[in-house]
């Protein structure tokens, strides 16, 4: 009698375990519960100023491509010369390309004619390479005025998280600062002209991805 009950018990347990195992295997991907900690923490944008750089920028583009991440690049016109293939690659890989002036001048310190020419020159170069003029500008030093606002039909894209990578030039310090301050909507300012910044950027991508952040181009954060 007890022996028979034990056989039944083990039999039913085996059926339950098999059903549980198979339902896990057969459930559609969307129904498998998301592991704790991988739910979306929000969206952040990586932005890079002052490039393109012939060595650092391709290295960064390789790392972003490996990780399936798109970023935003604000280019200096002088640095586009001779690096047109890098700009073409940015476009082909889905990155946002913006204007950072022809020679990194403080636009508000120039007369309006010179400031417009600094901007128009870069728009022309980017359009010649990619086929379309940029819609976004990041003025050097974030320096912009009402006069420029009404004279230049472009959208200004500033930032809200600045780890001072150009000053520190130390990847671990830059990574630590960004990880300590990142939140939904962060627009992170970096410069793809320093190896330490490229190293930091890729580590930031890995860490913030693990925390559930999605990387978007800056236009996606400015739309709201
Ligand atoms: Zn700059």
């Amino acid at each position: 009698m007890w022996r028979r009950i034990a056989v039944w018990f083990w039999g039913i347990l085996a059926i339950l375990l098999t059903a549980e195992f198979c339902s896990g295997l057969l459930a559609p991907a969307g129904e498998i519960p998301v592991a704790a900690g991988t739910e979306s923490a929000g969206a952040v944008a990586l932005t890079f100023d002052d490039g393109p750089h012939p060595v650092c920028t391709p290295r960064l583009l390789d790392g972003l491509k490996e990780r399936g991440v798109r970023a935003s690049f604000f280019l200096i016109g002088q640095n586009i010369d001779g690096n047109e293939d890098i700009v073409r690659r940015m476009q082909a890989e889905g990155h946002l390309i913006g204007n950072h002036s022809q020679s990194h001048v403080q636009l508000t310190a120039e007369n309006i004619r010179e400031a417009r020419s600094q901007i128009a020159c870069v728009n022309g170069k980017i359009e010649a390479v990619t086929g379309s003029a940029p819609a976004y500008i990041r003025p050097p030093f974030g320096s912009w005025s009402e006069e420029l606002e009404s004279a230049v039909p472009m959208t200004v894209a500033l930032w809200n998280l600045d780890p001072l990578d150009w000053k520190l030039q130390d990847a671990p310090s830059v990574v630590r600062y960004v990880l300590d301050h990142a939140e939904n909507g962060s627009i992170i300012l970096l410069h793809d002209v320093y190896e330490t910044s490229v190293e930091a950027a890729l580590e930031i991508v890995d860490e913030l991805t693990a925390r559930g952040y999605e990387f978007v181009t800056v236009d996606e954060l400015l739309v709201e």
Side-chain angles (χ1 to χ4, degrees), residues 48-51 74 76 100-101 104 138-142 189-191:
F48 298 93
D49 290 7
D50 295 4
F74 294 94
I76 294 179
H100 197 49
S101 85
H104 211 275
R138 173 168 286 163
F141 318 105
L189 172 60
L190 293 166
H191 299 79

Side-chain angles (χ1 to χ4, degrees), residues 5-63:
I5 289 172
V7 169
W8 270 97
F9 175 76
W10 289 115
I12 288 166
L13 188 65
I15 289 166
L16 287 175
L17 285 172
T18 309
E20 173 68 17
F21 180 65
C22 291
S23 70
L25 282 181
L26 297 174
E31 289 181 18
I32 293 174
V34 177
T38 58
E39 288 125 44
S40 175
V44 297
L46 278 179
T47 68
F48 298 93
D49 290 7
D50 295 4
H53 183 281
V55 176
C56 294
T57 308
R59 193 170 294 165
L60 173 63
L61 290 172
D62 289 345

Side-chain angles (χ1 to χ4, degrees):
M1 168 73 179
W2 288 112
R3 194 183 154 90
R4 214 166 149 178
I5 289 172
V7 169
W8 270 97
F9 175 76
W10 289 115
I12 288 166
L13 188 65
I15 289 166
L16 287 175
L17 285 172
T18 309
E20 173 68 17
F21 180 65
C22 291
S23 70
L25 282 181
L26 297 174
E31 289 181 18
I32 293 174
V34 177
T38 58
E39 288 125 44
S40 175
V44 297
L46 278 179
T47 68
F48 298 93
D49 290 7
D50 295 4
H53 183 281
V55 176
C56 294
T57 308
R59 193 170 294 165
L60 173 63
L61 290 172
D62 289 345
L64 294 175
K65 191 178 181 185
E66 261 172 45
R67 293 161 175 82
V69 162
R70 290 177 304 126
S72 306
F73 291 88
F74 294 94
L75 309 182
I76 294 179
Q78 282 176 345
N79 291 347
I80 293 174
D81 303 335
N83 291 316
E84 289 84 353
D85 284 348
I86 299 175
V87 180
R88 223 166 272 128
R89 183 178 169 192
M90 287 173 179
Q91 185 198 32
E93 295 178 0
H95 302 293
L96 181 141
I97 299 171
N99 189 323
H100 197 49
S101 85
Q102 167 63 8
S103 55
H104 211 275
V105 293
Q106 185 177 340
L107 294 167
T108 53
E110 305 291 326
N111 67 51
I112 192 73
R113 204 174 62 88
E114 172 58 20
R116 287 179 71 164
S117 140
Q118 277 275 336
I119 295 165
C121 177
V122 180
N123 284 348
K125 285 183 184 184
I126 293 173
E127 186 168 13
V129 174
T130 66
S132 53
Y136 291 84
I137 181 165
R138 173 168 286 163
F141 318 105
S143 182
W144 199 242
S145 65
E146 279 188 24
E147 192 183 17
L148 283 164
E149 184 67 32
S150 54
V152 179
M154 298 182 79
T155 304
V156 172
L158 298 178
W159 60 89
N160 53 27
L161 207 173
D162 181 2
L164 299 176
D165 64 323
W166 57 274
K167 194 172 176 186
L168 295 169
Q169 293 195 40
D170 176 64
S173 308
V174 171
V175 171
R176 198 176 317 120
Y177 186 89
V178 171
L179 296 182
D180 284 351
H181 295 84
E183 56 185 12
N184 183 30
S186 285
I187 298 174
I188 303 161
L189 172 60
L190 293 166
H191 299 79
D192 54 322
V193 294
Y194 305 106
E195 287 198 19
T196 48
S197 298
V198 171
E199 194 187 320
L202 298 178
E203 209 174 316
I204 288 164
V205 169
D206 292 340
E207 286 291 330
L208 290 184
T209 300
R211 291 186 190 180
Y213 283 97
E214 183 197 356
F215 286 86
V216 297
T217 48
V218 75
D219 53 326
E220 292 174 66
L221 290 183
L222 295 174
V223 162
E224 293 161 36

